Amino acid sequence: MTTAPPTSSAAHTDPTGMVTPASAGPGRRRPRTWSLLGDVRRKPTPYEIVTSRFHYHFRRQPAPFEMSPDTPLNLWYLKHREGSPLQVEDWEAFRDPDKLTYQSYVARQADSEVVIDGIVDQYEARDHDASLDPRWVAALAKIYVPSRFALHVMQMSALYLGQMAPSAFITNAAHFQAGDELRRIQWVAYRSKSLSLCHGGNLGESKPAREVWEQHVAWQPAREVLERLLVAYDWGESFVALNLAVKPALDLVLTDTLAEVAEANGDGLLAAIGRELSLDGSRSKRWSAALARFALEADPQVRPLLEGWVQRWSEPAARGAEALAGLLSDAPRPGPAAAEVATKVRDQHQALLAECGL
Amino acid sequence: MPKLARSQWYDLTRDMNWDLRYVSEEEAFPTDMSDARGVPAQEWWRWDEPYKISYGEYVHNQADKDASVYSVNSAIGRSHIFEDLDAGWRSAIVAHYGAIAVPEYVAGIGESRMARFGRAAAWRNMATYGTLDETRHGQIQAYFAHSLLDKEPRADWAHKALHTNEWGAIAARSLFDDMFTGNDAVSTALQLTFTFETGFTNLQFLGMAADALKVGDVDFGALISSIQTDEARHAQQGEPTLRILVANGQKQEAQRLIEHMFWRSWHVFALLTGLSMDYYTPLEQRNHSFKEFMNEWIVKQFMDQFRDFGMDLPWYWEEHFLSELDWYHHALHLGVWFWRPTVWWNPDAGVSPDERDWFEDKYPGWNDSFGRWWDVIGENARRGEIAQTLPETFPMVCNMCQIPVVTPAGYAAGYLSSTVPHVLDYNGRRYTFCSVPCKWIFESSPERFAGHTTIVDRLLGGEIQPPTVEGALRYMGLSPEECGDDATGYAWAHATRSAPSAAGVA
């Protein structure tokens, strides 16, 4: 498949992907790179070359964009980005631990899609869908099939975060995450259609799924927190709300717990797809924890701010997850009790916050 | 492979629209970011993209495309191909990277604005691919330019141009911020995708790719033709958006948005592509003129597109746009070459005797209109009086397109009835425009532009100190080594006409 962008033969790549200079000894010429990166001592990595200082508009004077300073979009960015309470001196110093570029993102995801294609292929060859208990399929109609609406809100929210973030190192990670959500949605759609062909009913139609999302009582706490997430317009709050509260909580139910319960109900296919897709969720947690740690190290004074946002969003998110977990009790082999899932959400959330240094 | 074809499940990923309950429509899709022009939410749910692709297909295609283009770059990087390229062509590349690489990256923000604030899930999904595409275009072009730094220090402008106040960078920022970075989702669909990406990117990316291959610049040719395959896909967001606006009584507003951005795109691309194609590309490879490309890729295509959607041709089509095709970029070229220290590339005069024959053929009357100015400049160059060919003052700059006003050259060439720029007094301030459509765009939405200052406004307002050419160059971020100079060391002024049969024999 693809290879990483070639690096200078005078340099070598260490196991973390960082390129170190062949020699930093006296008399050696400084590596030639973008002048805006300043007096660099090591050759920037390909990741840094294509990411550093791309947001020319951040903290630009007199306004982010080259038009009247008081146009709606200038005022929007001045309020929700430059005016956010979440500020550190240099957002350009943040790095995504996965160091993703577009090229490495699509290469990685292409490989992962091959994995899922292979899984689906194997199960389809065994006529897997016909082996599923109709009561399990009925449970999926309530929690799995409509989940694409919730995933779509998380896609939208990641795209907002991407367009508002103060550096391309953050923007790109958020935009790739939005791509991940689109991917998950498409596998939900694929499986929904597939189940409908074998089990009939209206699994392959939009209207019933939308009705569950809009009207089923178990979906409303999640839907409420997701709709409110859409209007969390401060860029910092949108990051904390999505990636440190709402997404980890809902992912735990909609991907991880669902995969466990699927396994117990003979749906190894859904379990295997879920396990592969949860790698995307893990990546989201990695860069999000790294960003929170970065901000705390850059300015310890942001701690109460981050903690306040976490507090504001984590309880509604956990309530949304708990209510959804209740839907799994309808499975022939029921999932863990909703309260148990809620505990797990809170435990995992604590673990994520510990990763964040919060 | 999985059994189901994309067409069997795809619609389920498009139909993810729902009625908001816990927040209002205006809260979730504020007018500032979305501006549905009053078209009701459910009307937008009919949005139907003409081009469909799955995520799996997307990442496979894109990974393959990237692998191919990066390997060309890697191979070329070890060769001397770049050093051997024509000096004028190298200028075209350096100009392109500065004006295009980072703007393409931030077009990803315009795409993510549509992907968040677009009013239909199907649209938001298409724009999500668009967001990823533009991330690719910004990164891959920056990467290619970076690989040139050892051979061409001015490739640094691929990265820094938009951070500076160089006048061309201001013009590019002004265009692209107006078009997408600082625009609402609905306007962006019409102005970025329908107006700009279906026409003008073809011109720069396909037209220049064809020239690149003829010139022997495989690297650049492979790069931009690969980029255009993405543009062709995500550009299709404009069409369904336009259909919904027209179906809901918003044709006039759609017409205005398109007319606004078509004109602005034309001016910046006359500057970028016009000069590159007609003056910087070596004569041997200059088969088609910029005007011919414009006629083929823009005029014909837009006329078809407008007719297909029941839209009217822009009001300025005949009198201003088609007329400018004959003279505007020639006038800009005179100005850019004369004010060459103010640009980050080395303008190629491109007016040797053989080239002048080509201009006379492609633009009949060119020698009498524009050639006569070059006669004087060439005479000065031959006498070694280079100072006579350099500026001591500043031109007026248009308050809309941010490009120097070249009406005197248009008048002298016989295309305009007056040398005088167009002025408008608004809220106690006088604004100057290079053309009637630029003034019209300002007047259509003055609140969007009135608080902005051109580089000359800043000079006159005391923001640029000292108010001299040197002070202005410093303000523009141009070091003495970076200031543009004649690409060929004035070789064109000393060249003689080749023998009539030479081209055929070669």
Side-chain angles (χ1 to χ4, degrees):
Chain A
M1 295 281 319
T2 49
T3 52
T7 54
S8 161
S9 58
H12 71 274
T13 307
D14 74 17
T16 64
M18 298 292 283
V19 174
T20 49
S23 166
R28 292 282 177 152
R29 192 162 64 89
R30 293 266 183 228
R32 192 182 273 285
T33 186
W34 305 130
S35 58
L36 290 181
L37 304 193
D39 188 13
V40 295
R41 291 174 188 284
R42 63 166 174 83
K43 187 178 171 69
T45 63
Y47 164 63
E48 291 166 329
I49 289 166
V50 300
T51 318
S52 292
R53 301 209 55 188
F54 272 52
H55 282 350
Y56 62 83
H57 41 82
F58 179 55
R59 292 179 184 159
R60 200 177 158 273
Q61 295 297 329
F65 306 121
E66 191 78 44
M67 48 217 306
S68 279
D70 58 355
T71 55
L73 264 289
N74 268 326
L75 296 177
W76 186 283
Y77 274 74
L78 287 171
K79 178 176 177 187
H80 297 297
R81 187 179 67 180
E82 277 82 336
S84 167
L86 181 57
Q87 299 291 341
V88 301
E89 194 181 320
D90 184 16
W91 290 108
E92 288 291 326
F94 169 70
R95 297 290 180 275
D96 163 15
D98 284 69
K99 299 182 169 54
L100 284 185
T101 61
Y102 177 88
Q103 189 195 12
S104 60
Y105 173 74
V106 292
R108 178 187 291 207
Q109 299 302 80
D111 288 347
S112 180
E113 282 288 290
V114 169
V115 171
I116 298 190
D117 282 353
I119 292 166
V120 173
D121 215 11
Q122 273 187 15
Y123 278 89
E124 286 181 344
R126 282 188 261 142
D127 205 11
H128 169 74
D129 287 350
S131 72
L132 294 174
D133 185 330
R135 290 173 301 161
W136 169 243
V137 177
L140 290 178
K142 290 285 183 289
I143 186 165
Y144 181 64
V145 174
S147 70
R148 62 182 191 272
F149 288 85
L151 302 181
H152 185 57
V153 180
M154 290 198 268
Q155 175 190 346
M156 293 166 73
S157 186
L159 289 156
Y160 181 73
L161 175 57
Q163 68 190 272
M164 296 302 294
S167 101
F169 288 107
I170 306 168
T171 292
N172 298 351
H175 283 162
F176 296 143
Q177 180 177 316
D180 298 340
E181 306 292 10
L182 181 59
R183 176 190 190 199
R184 261 202 308 176
I185 288 163
Q186 295 195 355
W187 280 114
V188 171
Y190 184 97
R191 285 299 302 146
S192 301
K193 181 68 186 181
S194 199
L195 289 167
S196 79
L197 293 176
C198 182
H199 291 267
N202 49 24
L203 293 161
E205 293 166 26
S206 290
K207 195 159 165 269
R210 187 177 144 210
E211 277 169 9
V212 175
W213 157 251
E214 285 187 345
Q215 289 163 27
H216 197 295
V217 66
W219 268 104
Q220 297 320 298
R223 179 178 164 210
E224 178 169 357
V225 75
L226 285 165
E227 287 190 4
R228 295 195 188 286
L229 174 65
L230 282 179
V231 305
Y233 286 128
D234 180 277
W235 92 266
E237 183 170 9
S238 91
F239 159 66
V240 171
L242 174 65
N243 277 8
L244 301 185
V246 177
K247 179 172 163 61
L250 297 184
D251 278 4
L252 183 86
V253 181
L254 295 174
T255 302
D256 303 311
T257 309
L258 183 65
E260 287 167 29
V261 183
E263 194 85 68
N265 283 278
D267 195 351
L269 172 53
L270 192 61
I273 293 175
R275 280 192 294 270
E276 184 65 22
L277 291 176
S278 76
L279 298 177
D280 293 346
S282 302
R283 171 157 41 78
S284 165
K285 285 182 190 159
R286 276 197 297 279
W287 75 260
S288 302
L291 181 56
R293 278 198 312 275
F294 169 82
L296 286 166
E297 279 163 25
D299 184 355
Q301 293 187 7
V302 302
R303 176 175 295 278
L305 178 69
L306 295 181
E307 285 175 347
W309 280 330
V310 166
Q311 201 176 4
R312 181 183 302 170
W313 288 93
S314 47
E315 270 313 302
R319 280 198 300 277
E322 184 174 353
L324 286 175
L327 290 169
L328 289 169
S329 60
D330 295 339
R333 288 174 182 275
E340 200 181 312
V341 173
T343 304
K344 206 169 168 186
V345 165
R346 290 185 178 93
D347 289 349
Q348 290 212 2
H349 193 232
Q350 284 309 314
L352 175 60
L353 294 179
E355 283 285 303
C356 296
L358 285 166
Chain B
M1 284 304 288
K3 274 196 309 205
L4 301 189
R6 187 209 321 123
S7 58
Q8 290 178 273
W9 53 266
Y10 189 83
D11 276 350
L12 297 183
T13 71
R14 304 175 64 257
D15 201 355
M16 294 183 298
N17 302 299
W18 79 101
D19 289 318
L20 292 157
R21 180 194 288 177
Y22 303 98
V23 297
S24 71
E25 189 78 17
E26 176 59 26
E27 283 174 295
F29 295 96
T31 303
D32 286 351
M33 298 296 258
S34 187
D35 204 348
R37 266 74 182 181
V39 176
Q42 301 221 0
E43 280 294 304
W44 289 103
W45 296 1
R46 299 141 74 100
W47 198 96
D48 188 12
E49 70 277 28
Y51 191 105
K52 297 178 170 62
I53 186 168
S54 74
Y55 180 90
E57 291 166 319
Y58 179 82
V59 290
H60 285 302
N61 292 346
Q62 300 298 100
D64 287 350
K65 275 157 52 175
D66 261 8
S68 151
V69 180
Y70 275 109
S71 54
V72 170
N73 179 252
S74 174
I76 301 289
R78 293 189 293 271
S79 73
H80 292 283
I81 287 181
F82 184 80
E83 293 92 319
D84 295 341
L85 290 171
D86 174 85
W89 179 258
R90 290 205 303 267
S91 297
I93 301 302
V94 170
H96 168 96
Y97 280 133
I100 299 293
V102 169
E104 283 232 67
Y105 173 75
V106 291
I109 289 181
E111 291 285 344
S112 63
R113 183 138 324 119
M114 294 191 288
R116 162 62 185 84
F117 295 100
R119 306 302 284 253
W123 177 8
R124 293 190 290 265
N125 287 345
M126 284 303 284
T128 302
Y129 293 124
T131 304
L132 297 175
D133 286 340
E134 298 296 7
T135 306
R136 173 182 192 234
H137 302 171
Q139 293 197 331
I140 197 167
Q141 291 185 88
Y143 187 83
F144 274 45
H146 192 271
S147 70
L148 295 178
L149 282 173
D150 278 330
K151 301 164 183 172
E152 173 50 271
R154 285 186 175 97
D156 192 35
W157 283 76
H159 185 245
K160 81 173 177 189
L162 274 273
H163 285 267
T164 73
N165 282 315
E166 192 279 339
W167 68 267
I170 293 176
R173 233 175 12 237
S174 167
L175 172 69
F176 294 128
D177 285 347
D178 186 24
M179 188 188 297
F180 47 79
T181 338
N183 210 1
D184 68 84
V186 170
S187 304
T188 301
L190 262 59
Q191 298 191 310
L192 167 63
T193 72
F194 185 81
T195 308
F196 181 69
E197 289 178 333
T198 47
F200 289 94
T201 59
N202 270 330
L203 185 74
Q204 179 71 8
F205 287 92
L206 289 184
M208 289 289 285
D211 283 353
L213 294 174
K214 281 184 268 173
V215 170
D217 191 351
V218 183
D219 197 39
F220 191 68
L223 171 68
I224 60 179
S225 54
S226 179
I227 286 174
Q228 186 58 25
T229 60
D230 300 335
E231 300 285 344
R233 169 168 32 75
H234 67 238
Q236 297 184 41
Q237 294 171 79
E239 179 187 319
T241 310
L242 178 59
R243 282 190 199 285
I244 287 173
L245 286 173
V246 171
N248 286 276
Q250 292 296 317
K251 180 183 160 184
Q252 205 179 342
E253 174 66 356
Q255 182 85 31
R256 183 187 71 80
L257 288 166
I258 294 166
E259 287 177 355
H260 164 165
M261 202 49 72
F262 183 91
W263 185 261
R264 296 210 61 184
S265 303
W266 152 242
H267 267 205
V268 167
F269 277 73
L271 177 64
L272 179 68
T273 326
L275 273 51
S276 295
M277 281 187 173
D278 274 0
Y279 290 92
Y280 301 171
T281 301
L283 180 62
E284 305 74 51
Q285 281 80 33
R286 223 187 275 168
N287 296 345
H288 290 87
S289 68
F290 174 62
K291 183 182 172 184
E292 287 164 342
F293 266 109
M294 282 298 295
N295 276 319
E296 174 69 21
W297 293 99
I298 303 286
V299 176
K300 183 174 175 304
Q301 165 151 347
F302 265 90
M303 287 180 78
D304 290 349
Q305 215 173 318
F306 275 72
R307 191 194 53 230
D308 291 350
F309 288 95
M311 306 293 286
D312 304 319
L313 279 177
W315 60 266
Y316 49 69
W317 194 259
E318 293 277 339
E319 185 182 351
H320 300 285
F321 170 59
L322 294 183
S323 156
E324 282 199 1
L325 282 180
D326 282 315
W327 70 269
Y328 182 60
H329 72 293
H330 298 305
L332 289 179
H333 177 61
L334 262 175
V336 167
W337 189 89
F338 184 67
W339 269 278
R340 58 198 176 283
T342 69
V343 294
W344 67 80
W345 64 92
N346 285 335
D348 187 347
V351 289
S352 66
D354 286 347
E355 288 168 307
R356 294 176 62 140
D357 290 346
W358 183 87
F359 281 112
E360 194 59 41
D361 179 42
K362 296 293 186 184
Y363 301 91
W366 184 92
N367 272 305
D368 287 340
S369 52
F370 291 95
R372 61 193 172 115
W373 307 115
W374 288 104
D375 291 341
V376 179
I377 295 170
E379 192 52 40
N380 282 324
R382 280 189 291 279
R383 286 206 305 264
E385 292 181 7
I386 300 305
Q388 296 285 334
T389 72
L390 284 164
E392 289 175 358
T393 57
F394 304 98
M396 289 303 293
V397 169
C398 176
N399 275 104
M400 175 47 57
C401 65
Q402 310 298 317
I403 294 173
V405 175
V406 291
T407 45
Y411 171 79
Y415 293 98
L416 297 177
S417 57
S418 164
T419 59
V420 181
H422 306 271
V423 296
L424 174 73
D425 292 319
Y426 177 81
N427 278 356
R429 187 178 149 195
R430 172 154 293 193
Y431 298 87
T432 305
F433 302 98
C434 67
S435 60
V436 175
C438 272
K439 184 180 175 202
W440 169 80
I441 296 167
F442 183 99
E443 288 179 297
S444 315
S445 39
E447 66 291 344
R448 201 167 171 78
F449 306 106
H452 182 263
T453 53
T454 67
I455 191 165
V456 170
D457 293 331
R458 295 172 207 180
L459 188 89
L460 299 176
E463 205 179 312
I464 300 174
Q465 292 295 339
T468 58
V469 170
E470 290 70 29
L473 291 173
R474 199 159 51 242
Y475 178 78
M476 287 191 269
L478 284 155
S479 68
E481 307 76 55
E482 291 172 311
C483 288
D485 199 354
D486 183 76
T488 64
Y490 308 97
W492 56 273
H494 302 279
T496 52
R497 185 169 271 105
S498 43
S501 59
V505 173

